[in-house]
Amino acid sequence: MASIIKTSEDLVTSREQTRAGFIAFALEKNRRSTPIIESAKTLKVLVSKAKTAQDLLKITEIQPALLIAAGLSDKAINYFTEDDKIKAISGLIEDFLESSGSGFVDEVVYRYLLIKGDSLGGSMRNIVGAIAQQKFVRTLLSNLSISGTNYHWLDNKTKKWEEKPANDFAIEENLKALSWKNPKGNNRILASNLNIPIVKNNIDICLFNADTKLYANGEIVNTPEKIKTMRQELLSCTVENKPKIDYIKGSYVALGKKKDFDNILKIIEKNKTLAEINQSLSERSKKGDINNKGVLRVVNGYFAELTFIYAELFRLCKSGAKVVFVNDNVRYGGEVISVDFISTELAEQIGFKPLKVYSLKQQKGNSSQQMAKFGRVPLRKSITVWEKP
């Protein structure tokens, strides 16, 4: 697929794109309001048959519209008996329509439009996201089509996977998920609006390393084994994590930035403070002071990955920009690790200019296991401030 995003500026929505988005939203709002306007015209014709506002109770076919004019939603009406409905309409007539005199017909139509318009406005809040999603999917489909990549798509209505159609017109309107293979032969599934248990929230767009069978119509997110894999792939600072350097390297190579990766890695490998900490933790682990060997990977991976983040921040920031990090120092096996100072040292080697390290009054405690063996050492909580020259 063509590389569209080359710089951070490519992610900024232009004025023309913003304007086009507002126009698309306005046109869609008008399109969706057409049935409401037409029903209001029909309502006016039927209401005009009544000579007085009280006569409206005799026209049974307009009862649903009168209930809407009375301010009741479809959900609320479901809880109403027939007597309740008559009382609601009578209240509308007595409190608002009779006082309008001969203008009661227009009054009914206005109130009907007001309530229906408010309902439309509420539904339109979700339309912006839907339009953006459809445009995104359409762009992806176009790229797959141009590159000659075959795909399958999950129909949101039938819940069935369909083959790539000869004419894919408007399939994005009913597309729940899209499945294809990338140039390396890896299965990919892009799905929208899934509730992910691991984050306990609805996610707009999810990309899975899976085929249609493993995806299982979205049940992939509820598979304990898959969740564990997702946790392993996404999280770093856990004792069960594995080094992500190879993954990071692959990302840089794919972007044609192998040289940048090598330069950042050299900074990590040549940092004497990190080397000293890793050596000290290794020795303490051999003595049995550290009960989980995963801690060594956590510490090493934490600073390694942060260094890449610092490097990317430095690349993206403009001259004079300031970067602020909040840090908690840590202690493993009696070894105190000054996260704030080490981070600042790495950031300085990347190119940032250290400005301040604020030490907070509140300090961090130690675990009961460490205090029992090594005593209590208050750990610094701090805020570091750096600037790009």
Side-chain angles (χ1 to χ4, degrees):
M1 296 184 188
S3 178
I4 299 173
I5 302 174
K6 296 180 178 178
T7 67
S8 59
E9 284 74 19
D10 293 329
L11 296 172
V12 178
T13 305
S14 67
R15 181 182 180 279
E16 291 74 18
Q17 290 170 326
T18 302
R19 177 178 171 275
F22 279 122
I23 291 175
F25 176 73
L27 291 174
E28 181 64 18
K29 194 171 185 179
N30 272 284
R31 187 180 74 82
R32 290 174 179 258
S33 67
T34 299
I36 298 175
I37 294 172
E38 293 302 318
S39 62
K41 290 178 181 177
T42 302
L43 176 62
K44 185 171 184 178
V45 172
L46 294 173
V47 171
S48 297
K49 294 179 180 180
K51 293 182 179 180
T52 66
Q54 284 292 338
D55 290 340
L56 294 174
L57 288 168
K58 303 174 183 177
I59 309 175
T60 57
E61 61 263 41
I62 65 171
Q63 186 191 74
L66 291 176
L67 289 170
I68 292 173
L72 296 173
S73 65
D74 292 337
K75 183 177 180 180
I77 292 172
N78 289 332
Y79 291 92
F80 277 50
T81 64
E82 288 302 316
D83 287 341
D84 294 331
K85 293 176 182 179
I86 296 300
K87 288 180 181 178
I89 295 174
S90 296
L92 169 69
I93 293 171
E94 294 169 5
D95 294 342
F96 301 104
L97 302 186
E98 286 185 331
S99 60
S100 299
S102 59
F104 74 89
V105 174
D106 288 338
E107 188 71 18
V108 170
V109 175
Y110 294 154
R111 291 184 177 276
Y112 174 82
L113 285 171
L114 177 66
I115 303 302
K116 293 293 285 187
D118 183 60
S119 177
L120 175 63
S123 66
M124 287 302 296
R125 297 186 186 100
N126 299 321
I127 297 302
V128 176
I131 293 175
Q133 178 183 310
Q134 289 177 15
K135 292 187 71 174
F136 173 72
V137 171
R138 172 47 54 188
T139 301
L140 182 55
L141 290 172
S142 298
N143 274 274
L144 291 172
S145 179
I146 291 172
S147 64
T149 303
N150 191 32
Y151 65 82
H152 289 76
W153 65 286
L154 181 62
D155 192 316
N156 197 31
K157 292 182 178 178
T158 65
K159 308 303 180 185
K160 294 181 179 179
W161 284 98
E162 305 289 349
E163 294 185 355
K164 176 183 178 182
N167 182 357
D168 65 358
F169 175 74
I171 69 169
E172 64 269 21
E173 294 179 7
N174 296 315
L175 189 148
K176 176 65 176 178
L178 191 65
S179 170
W180 75 97
K181 285 190 176 183
N182 65 15
K184 295 182 179 179
N186 299 319
N187 290 304
R188 293 288 183 265
I189 287 186
L190 183 137
S192 60
N193 298 313
L194 291 178
N195 193 292
I196 309 298
I198 197 171
V199 295
K200 298 179 181 179
N201 208 339
N202 186 78
I203 304 300
D204 294 334
I205 296 290
C206 302
L207 183 63
F208 296 98
N209 177 22
D211 57 16
T212 56
K213 184 178 180 180
L214 185 59
Y215 178 72
N217 286 353
E219 285 301 312
I220 187 173
V221 301
N222 296 317
T223 306
E225 294 79 10
K226 194 60 184 178
I227 291 176
K228 184 177 180 180
T229 302
M230 290 169 63
R231 173 184 171 87
Q232 178 58 53
E233 290 175 350
L234 297 175
L235 301 183
S236 293
C237 296
T238 56
V239 292
E240 73 268 23
N241 97 300
K242 294 182 177 62
K244 300 294 190 299
I245 289 297
D246 288 341
Y247 177 83
I248 295 172
K249 180 180 179 180
S251 298
Y252 274 80
V253 171
L255 293 170
K257 295 187 175 183
K258 172 69 163 51
K259 186 177 180 180
D260 290 347
F261 171 84
D262 291 338
N263 290 336
I264 300 169
L265 189 61
K266 285 180 182 177
I267 292 175
I268 299 168
E269 293 175 340
K270 291 184 177 181
N271 187 283
K272 294 181 179 179
T273 306
L274 277 181
E276 182 181 332
I277 288 174
N278 288 330
Q279 179 62 32
S280 178
L281 289 177
S282 179
E283 291 176 0
R284 287 177 181 270
S285 179
K286 291 176 182 178
K287 294 177 182 178
D289 292 338
I290 298 176
N291 58 12
N292 192 324
K293 293 182 179 180
V295 168
L296 279 69
R297 293 196 303 272
V298 168
V299 174
N300 189 47
Y302 176 82
F303 287 109
E305 291 168 38
L306 271 183
T307 305
F308 280 95
I309 292 174
Y310 299 156
E312 290 303 316
L313 282 172
F314 186 83
R315 180 178 65 84
L316 294 172
C317 286
K318 294 181 180 180
S319 177
K322 293 179 176 60
V323 175
V324 179
F325 272 86
V326 179
N327 300 284
D328 284 4
N329 290 347
V330 294
R331 189 187 192 198
Y332 292 113
E335 181 78 17
V336 175
I337 301 175
S338 300
V339 177
D340 48 4
F341 288 167
I342 297 172
S343 296
T344 299
E345 183 180 336
L346 290 167
E348 188 172 18
Q349 290 176 313
I350 291 293
F352 281 107
K353 176 185 177 183
L355 297 181
K356 287 280 187 179
V357 177
Y358 294 99
S359 181
L360 305 182
K361 290 183 179 179
Q362 181 184 3
Q363 293 184 314
K364 184 179 176 182
N366 312 137
S367 67
S368 56
Q369 295 93 329
Q370 290 205 70
M371 285 193 291
K373 189 171 184 178
F374 305 105
R376 185 179 184 278
V377 177
L379 299 174
R380 185 171 59 249
K381 299 167 72 74
S382 59
I383 300 173
T384 57
V385 184
W386 315 322
E387 181 182 61
K388 181 174 179 177

